[in-house]
Amino acid sequence: MSLVDRLSEAKRTGNYQGLLDAVPYSRLLGLTAAIDGGELITTMRYADHLIGNPALPALHGGSLGALLESAAIFELLWRAETIVLPKTITITIDYLRSGGPVDTHARGIVTRHGRRVANVRVEAWQADRTMPVATAHAIFLVKPEAAASS
Amino acid sequence: MEVVEISRSNAVFRLKYDEKLVGNPDTGVLHGGAITALLDACSGAAVFAALSEWGPIATLDLRIDYLRAAEPGRDVLAHATCYRVARQVAFTRAVAYLDDEADPIASSAGTFMLQTKPGGRK
């Protein structure tokens, strides 16, 4: 089943796990997604290989960045009417606090969904949602055939 | 991820192509997150390369622009430069590329906090 087919299936059933499991990097990061209180929450299950600084220990900035980017994409897929895989143009991540060796959650909010471009801001937290470990904002191309020089 | 070279204020890393890092299983193209991880690690290494006195550092922010998709099956290289070390903050620029730095697949700018406290930022 192609990724786009899995996406259609996910939108039809409301269950995105099949889509996540189809993406190897999502599997590596141990991502799961679930609707909780009307919000789509992406969770990165803790695993030793996600640690960047073993002295603390602290999550690798790259794992957090990938979680944030993934959460932003899932929010877009969940909210959008069209079946198109968004293409990341740019993402800026603010690292706020060290991420400890526990599960990390993230939620994206679409600030603008235009015809060609969508803006999403994302927050990632661990035990306390009021103390995020990282935030990001990302801009995506959401219209097919609009991708410039790929 | 492996270190290719570290010299004064510069670091070059290689991310070997691995199917586990793929974002789109239909095309085999690497996930953007894997490129983020590569640029973050390489930029951090460039900061260490630039410091005269080593201590803990922490990424403050990282901006990544995706310029084009990485050809599937190929290793990705990253070259980061720490171009300014201030008293408390260091600044980096980096590119991720396949063959030619002048034709990168992604470009980044980063800032790093220097001499962070043991135990990390709370």
Side-chain angles (χ1 to χ4, degrees):
Chain A
M1 204 193 255
S2 76
L3 210 55
V4 173
D5 289 340
R6 284 187 191 269
L7 175 54
S8 305
E9 178 76 10
K11 289 184 86 74
R12 197 177 57 77
T13 61
N15 182 340
Y16 284 77
Q17 201 55 46
L19 179 64
L20 267 83
D21 291 342
V23 176
Y25 199 63
S26 286
R27 289 202 300 272
L28 186 68
L29 290 180
L31 298 186
T32 56
I35 315 282
D36 185 5
E39 295 183 307
L40 178 64
I41 309 283
T42 305
T43 297
M44 180 167 72
R45 202 170 44 241
Y46 173 71
D48 288 339
H49 67 264
L50 297 175
I51 290 292
N53 184 345
L56 292 174
L59 286 179
H60 195 283
S63 337
L64 269 175
L67 168 64
L68 289 160
E69 187 174 346
S70 300
I73 292 173
F74 298 147
E75 182 73 14
L76 269 178
L77 293 176
W78 186 44
R79 298 282 182 193
E81 265 132 48
T82 52
I83 313 284
V84 157
L85 282 169
K87 245 181 162 172
T88 317
I89 299 170
T90 182
I91 180 165
T92 301
I93 304 148
D94 285 356
Y95 294 97
L96 305 174
R97 298 178 174 84
S98 305
V102 295
D103 290 355
T104 311
H105 313 284
R107 195 254 151 124
I109 293 178
V110 181
T111 47
R112 180 179 182 267
H113 196 311
R115 268 178 306 134
R116 292 185 295 167
V117 159
N119 300 60
V120 188
R121 63 180 170 82
V122 206
E123 268 190 9
W125 66 95
Q126 293 185 318
D128 186 345
R129 191 160 175 177
T130 66
M131 308 237 288
V133 294
T135 57
H137 72 267
I139 307 179
F140 299 88
L141 270 176
V142 290
K143 187 178 158 154
E145 292 95 48
S149 50
S150 35
Chain B
M1 205 179 303
E2 55 188 47
V3 180
V4 172
E5 186 190 320
I6 302 208
S7 54
R8 206 170 50 180
S9 305
N10 280 270
V12 180
F13 277 29
R14 173 188 298 276
L15 178 67
K16 294 189 87 67
Y17 183 82
D18 186 332
E19 271 159 24
K20 293 203 192 75
L21 304 175
V22 163
N24 187 335
D26 300 335
T27 60
V29 170
L30 290 179
H31 196 283
I35 307 295
T36 301
L38 173 66
L39 289 166
D40 179 51
C42 194
S43 300
V47 173
F48 278 119
L51 293 177
S52 47
E53 222 179 82
W54 279 17
I57 67 171
T59 320
L60 282 171
D61 85 334
L62 193 64
R63 176 198 163 111
I64 297 151
D65 293 336
Y66 293 103
L67 307 173
R68 57 185 184 83
E71 212 181 292
R74 307 266 329 261
D75 293 354
V76 178
L77 290 161
H79 177 188
T81 303
C82 176
Y83 63 94
R84 167 83 178 124
V85 176
R87 254 197 311 258
Q88 301 188 82
V89 181
F91 300 82
T92 64
R93 273 192 277 263
V95 286
Y97 59 100
L98 299 176
D99 299 299
D100 183 3
E101 263 189 66
D103 185 22
I105 59 171
S107 172
S108 78
T111 56
F112 290 77
M113 191 79 197
L114 303 178
Q115 292 299 337
T116 48
K117 291 204 260 292
R121 302 177 72 205
K122 296 283 182 281

